[in-house]
Amino acid sequence: MNKALLLEKYIKVAVKKALKEQEEQQKKAEKAMYMVYRFPGLKKLMEDLMSPAFGRYVNGINIVAPKPTTFKVDLTNGQDFSIKYIGKGNFQLKIAGRKYDPLNLGELERASQGIADLLELNYAPKEGTETPTGGGEPQPGAEELGGEIAAAETPPTTPTEEPPAEEESPPAEA
């Protein structure tokens, strides 16, 4: 195949994939923010805790229990925390097992730091998104274009010599 044609196909697939991911992210954000707009006090609390751009860090907000109304806030890295409505516009937070009262400024700051700590936690990448053993970044769209591009993009690997197996020592007697 011609390199220019191959590059053109690759770019088309990459653009389509990027647009699709962007649309999915937009739909997910709208769904996540539904609860925030339904409960105005929740929006103000989230802005106080995180920032007015808290939507970037939240995957979803769900109601977990009806009485007292308890919300589960799912963060982008898979972590979560809960917010409990305790009446008259007041909330109680539970972040990483600790309870906070946002009416107290010091506790609000500690709760905000607790959320920041949760956001810092990262997990191993999901299966299929790992970087190839040859090194470098995985090429988006390579699987859709078939084996030709995938073969052209992966660097040749040289067989490496396996290290000698360690001898097993007998278990120590106690």
Side-chain angles (χ1 to χ4, degrees), residues 43-114:
K43 180 180 180 186
K44 182 180 179 337
L45 177 66
M46 294 295 289
E47 288 176 352
D48 289 345
L49 282 172
M50 299 172 85
S51 75
F54 66 89
R56 294 179 183 171
Y57 310 104
V58 174
N59 273 347
I61 300 174
N62 300 313
I63 294 181
V64 178
K67 272 193 175 184
T69 306
T70 306
F71 303 95
K72 178 182 169 192
V73 180
D74 296 314
L75 300 173
T76 55
N77 64 348
Q79 296 291 324
D80 63 6
F81 65 93
S82 58
I83 301 174
K84 190 182 294 184
Y85 179 72
I86 54 176
K88 297 183 181 178
N90 298 328
F91 293 91
Q92 184 180 43
L93 302 164
K94 188 172 184 182
I95 303 168
R98 296 185 180 152
K99 291 184 179 180
Y100 300 98
D101 180 14
L103 293 177
N104 182 344
L105 184 61
E107 288 190 30
L108 179 68
E109 292 298 320
R110 285 191 288 278
S112 182
Q113 184 60 47

Side-chain angles (χ1 to χ4, degrees), residues 141-152:
E143 63 276 353
E144 290 97 14
L145 294 179
E148 293 178 17
I149 289 181

Side-chain angles (χ1 to χ4, degrees), residues 2-3 5-6 8 12 29 32-33 44 49 68 77 94 103 119 138 160 171:
N2 186 346
K3 283 187 178 182
L5 183 62
L6 191 62
E8 184 179 333
K12 283 182 182 179
M33 295 303 116
K44 182 180 179 337
L49 282 172
N77 64 348
K94 188 172 184 182
L103 293 177
L119 285 168
T160 58

